[in-house]
């Protein structure tokens, strides 16, 4: 059976690579796309890819009226939650690639997904190398009670930390809180330099030209440390295969799942 997809953000850096990936997949069909600047055109015209005949709409609400099995959110944090809730209300399953949604946003989304009896699969990073880093970090956190996370991205990335780091902090928080030798309220000097406390971990975001996107999870014990580091290049290709897998698996459950590994056997 073909899975009918509505892709919000189909003309963007990540969305256009995914749209081309969908065009190559015999079991997937892109039926509607969302982009304000390209509304009224076909995606094929906008991307120069004749295999993509889907019409482009200015809003998710208009695109969802076409009818789809899976809504894929790849726009911006400011509109993502409303798009996801609209898709659930229309009876679609949802894959979320957009970063920047908070744990509170996800609590609301989870309640809506349960009520709708649909699946929402939120993945901060679809790259298999990041999926593995998250898994390895969870394993490390079970044995090493002290960790901090560093988030690296380009100077122009507005949301901080990245979706990858939010997800990593959330998942490590499920294992436990990272222990601090010096409590934050006893720090002398500039306490802000110790980073932000998220899900029981210190998180530090670096935003500089020269970086694309990366993450470091550092685990420390007396006289030894473990550093798990991931870096991605500038193409959106690493995210395509994981996103296609998420589309194929999201209808297999209802409610919210965070992380691609929740639908993989690792
Ligand atoms: N999970 C992952 O593995 C992964 C990988 C890459 C990126 N991301 C995340 O995905 C999101 C998109 O990243 P990107 O680099 O592809 O961004 P981008 O190149 O700026 O593309 C954004 C897309 O969303 C559309 N859009 C933006 N605002 C909109 C609105 N209000 N209504 C409708 N459409 C809107 C844009 O088209 P118009 O401007 O024409 O509306 C464009 O198609 C970001 O949050 C990024 O962090 C996640």
């Amino acid at each position: 059976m073909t899975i009918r997809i509505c892709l919000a953000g189909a003309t963007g850096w990540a969305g256009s690579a995914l749209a081309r990936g969908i065009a190559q997949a015999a079991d997937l069909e892109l039926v509607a796309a969302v982009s304000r600047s390209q509304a009224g055109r076909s995606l094929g015209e906008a991307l120069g890819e004749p295999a993509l005949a889907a019409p482009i709409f200015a809003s998710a609400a208009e695109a969802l009226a076409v009818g789809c099995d899976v809504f894929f959110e790849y726009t911006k944090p400011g509109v993502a939650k409303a798009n996801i809730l609209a898709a659930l209300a229309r009876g679609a399953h949802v894959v979320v690639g957009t970063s920047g949604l908070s744990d509170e946003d996800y609590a609301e989304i989870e309640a809506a997904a349960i009520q709708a009896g649909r699946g929402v699969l939120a993945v901060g990073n679809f790259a298999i190398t990041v999926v593995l880093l998250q898994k390895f970090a969870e394993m490390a956190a079970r044995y090493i009670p002290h960790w901090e996370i560093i988030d690296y991205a380009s100077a122009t990335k507005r949301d901080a930390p990245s979706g990858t780091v939010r997800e990593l902090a959330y998942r490590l928080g499920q294992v436990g809180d990272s222990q601090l030798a010096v409590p934050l309220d006893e720090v002398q000097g500039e306490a802000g330099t110790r980073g932000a406390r998220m899900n029981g971990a210190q998180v530090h975001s670096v935003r500089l030209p020269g970086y694309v996107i990366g993450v470091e999870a550092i685990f420390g014990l007396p006289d030894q440390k473990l550093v798990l580091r991931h870096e991605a290049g500038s193409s959106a290709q690493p995210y395509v295969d994981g996103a296609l897998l998420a589309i194929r698996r999201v209808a297999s459950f209802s409610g919210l799942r965070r992380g691609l590994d929740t639908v993989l056997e690792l």
Side-chain angles (χ1 to χ4, degrees), residues 9-15 34-38 58 74-77 79 97-99 123-126 157 239:
T11 58
W13 177 74
V34 182
S35 150
R36 295 158 303 176
S37 60
Q38 300 294 325
Y74 240 164
T75 62
K76 294 286 164 192
V79 286
T98 308
S99 59
V123 181
N125 196 313
F126 290 106
K157 185 170 176 62
Y239 313 108

Side-chain angles (χ1 to χ4, degrees), residues 128 131 135 245 249 257 259-266:
I128 186 67
V131 174
K135 201 75 192 166
L245 185 95
R249 299 278 167 88
R257 291 194 190 178
L260 195 64
D261 65 306
T262 61
V263 292
L264 290 174
E265 283 158 26
L266 286 179

Side-chain angles (χ1 to χ4, degrees), residues 153-166:
S154 63
T156 54
K157 185 170 176 62
R158 287 185 180 275
D159 58 309
S162 69
T164 308
V165 164
R166 275 181 192 277

Side-chain angles (χ1 to χ4, degrees), residues 32-251:
V34 182
S35 150
R36 295 158 303 176
S37 60
Q38 300 294 325
R41 304 179 77 191
S42 79
L43 193 54
E45 285 169 339
L47 300 185
E49 171 59 76
L52 290 166
I56 303 177
F57 299 90
S59 70
E62 294 166 89
L64 282 161
V66 171
C68 63
D69 303 307
V70 174
F71 176 82
F72 199 111
E73 168 51 47
Y74 240 164
T75 62
K76 294 286 164 192
V79 286
K81 186 170 80 174
N83 288 352
I84 296 161
L85 296 176
L88 288 170
R90 279 271 181 182
H93 300 279
V94 181
V95 179
V96 185
T98 308
S99 59
L101 294 175
S102 65
D103 290 343
E104 291 72 31
D105 292 328
Y106 277 118
E108 195 179 330
I109 288 165
E110 180 168 33
I114 291 168
Q115 195 182 6
R118 292 292 181 271
V120 175
L121 182 52
V123 181
N125 196 313
F126 290 106
I128 186 67
T129 42
V130 167
V131 174
L132 290 171
L133 179 142
Q134 290 180 334
K135 201 75 192 166
F136 298 154
E138 281 179 322
M139 291 165 71
R142 288 194 191 97
Y143 295 93
I144 306 173
H146 313 275
W147 61 83
E148 303 210 3
I149 303 171
I150 309 180
D151 161 41
Y152 299 94
S154 63
T156 54
K157 185 170 176 62
R158 287 185 180 275
D159 58 309
S162 69
T164 308
V165 164
R166 275 181 192 277
E167 195 170 287
L168 179 61
Y170 171 81
R171 296 168 67 108
L172 294 183
Q174 303 293 304
V175 179
D177 285 2
S178 170
Q179 292 171 21
L180 294 165
V182 177
L184 295 173
D185 57 2
E186 292 176 23
V187 170
Q188 294 172 5
E190 294 295 327
T193 58
R194 292 291 294 112
R197 188 101 182 140
M198 291 184 72
N199 303 100
Q202 295 310 117
V203 176
H204 314 262
S205 286
V206 177
R207 294 288 178 270
L208 280 174
Y211 285 92
V212 180
I213 192 97
V215 57
E216 214 166 78
I218 308 172
F219 294 84
L221 282 174
D223 245 354
Q224 53 181 327
K225 62 181 175 293
L226 169 68
V227 182
L228 299 173
R229 181 176 171 84
H230 178 266
E231 280 180 45
S234 55
S235 100
Q237 204 51 41
Y239 313 108
V240 173
D241 288 344
L244 295 176
L245 185 95
I247 290 169
R248 293 183 174 114
R249 299 278 167 88
V250 67

Side-chain angles (χ1 to χ4, degrees), residues 5 7 17-26 28-30 52 240 244 247:
I5 302 152
L7 175 55
L18 175 58
R20 291 190 173 92
I22 293 170
Q24 304 297 315
L28 306 178
E29 186 189 358
L30 195 48
L52 290 166
V240 173
L244 295 176
I247 290 169

